[in-house]
Amino acid sequence: MLMNMKEAIRQALGVALAAQDEVLVFGEDVGGVGGVFRVTEGLQQRFGEDRVFDTPLAESAICGVAVGLCTQGFRPVVEIQFIGFIYEAMDQMLVQGPRLRYRSGGRYQAPLTVRVPYGGGVKGAEMHNDSLEGLLLQTPGLKVVAPSNPYDAKGLLLSAIRDNDPVVFLEHLKLYHLFREEVPEEDYAIPIGKAKVVKEGAHITLVTYGAMVLPSMRAAEELEAKRDVTVEVIDLRTLAPLDIELIVASVTKTNRAVVVQEAQRTSGIAAELIAQINERAILSLEAPVMRIAPPDTVYGACGSLIRLRRFTVNMGEPPGERPNFRRHARLYTRCDRGVGTRRGISLCGLR
């Protein structure tokens, strides 16, 4: 059946709710309204208000209740409306949940799934466009998943709900309605921690995830049309734990690598991947691993941010200078369209 990512996620939630009575879905407006993006639309009518229900506007309470429910044998699936709102729930998401098994000496598990829309390119307001996955990656016991297509979204979400460890399930806003593809209506699972080679190649490895997969594919195809090379593209699918064995095997074959992320440059998944590639495969590299990422600045509110001339927060400009909003918006747009990816491939020695 043809589905977009939003529909695939909704179907995965329906499958999980029907299969296990312990599965609960709750968050802000997820019940009667169906969530801010209508992902959970119709689930409350199917499964009742005891299993799909609304909560107050309190992210710390949402995740705190979820951790408590885990100790009582439930499998809560909660929604945080935008990733910019997770700060209020950091203690529950990054401390209480992931450490539950350790702190209880194995008595309790934390089968908690936190669904979080993230990313830009949809003309959202400030704090609605962020990519904060780098904040999550250094948490022991926490798994982080970021699908790039409807098929993977359904299979990975079902795996997340059935996992006995907490999983942050990242749903890129731009991918909700971007395209449709065939998704089986029956139950299936994609293992967490397994990347996928979405395009095979022999001369360079391009590693990315989420909404950056499609522009990376376009950049690879444009390069191949101009030069006598082939590009291997890897979709990470899971950011923690990383499928580093697949990545190293590809880099060993191609001898070059580029890592692409939408998140700000510093301390992201790209930095971790580059470090691990250098640790495991540096003798196979014929050029430094390139990192394609936006600048370390706020992902603003598109056109409205550009018009805020009186805004004086420093965004990477020299002290005393006003932020160049047009420049920052342009850099993010270039990354979103794959322009930086094409340049990074060129700088990797394929001239």
Side-chain angles (χ1 to χ4, degrees), residues 13 16-25 51 74-77 161:
L13 292 171
L17 285 161
Q20 291 181 280
D21 292 339
E22 296 79 14
V23 175
L24 304 175
V25 174
R51 302 194 57 203
F74 291 95
R75 291 185 175 272
V77 183
I161 294 171

Side-chain angles (χ1 to χ4, degrees), residues 270-284:
E272 177 61 25
L273 274 172
I274 292 169
Q276 293 204 36
I277 290 171
N278 287 338
E279 289 169 356
R280 298 166 185 251
I282 194 167
L283 296 181
S284 298

Side-chain angles (χ1 to χ4, degrees), residues 185-264:
E185 294 189 54
E186 62 269 17
D187 189 336
Y188 67 93
I190 294 175
I192 292 175
K194 294 296 182 182
K196 180 182 180 181
V197 176
V198 294
K199 180 183 178 302
E200 293 189 355
H203 298 94
I204 186 167
T205 298
L206 203 164
V207 187
T208 188
Y209 60 95
M212 292 294 100
V213 172
L214 289 179
S216 295
M217 288 286 288
R218 290 196 297 267
E221 290 165 359
E222 289 182 19
L223 181 70
E224 291 176 348
K226 296 177 181 178
R227 307 181 186 182
D228 187 22
V229 297
T230 58
V231 181
E232 184 148 293
V233 181
I234 296 177
D235 180 358
L236 289 173
R237 301 199 292 191
T238 300
L239 308 185
L242 284 169
D243 189 358
I244 193 64
E245 289 78 15
L246 178 68
I247 296 163
V248 168
S250 177
V251 172
T252 302
K253 176 181 70 174
T254 65
N255 309 122
R256 294 178 174 86
V258 174
V259 185
V260 183
Q261 67 180 33
E262 182 179 320
Q264 286 91 342

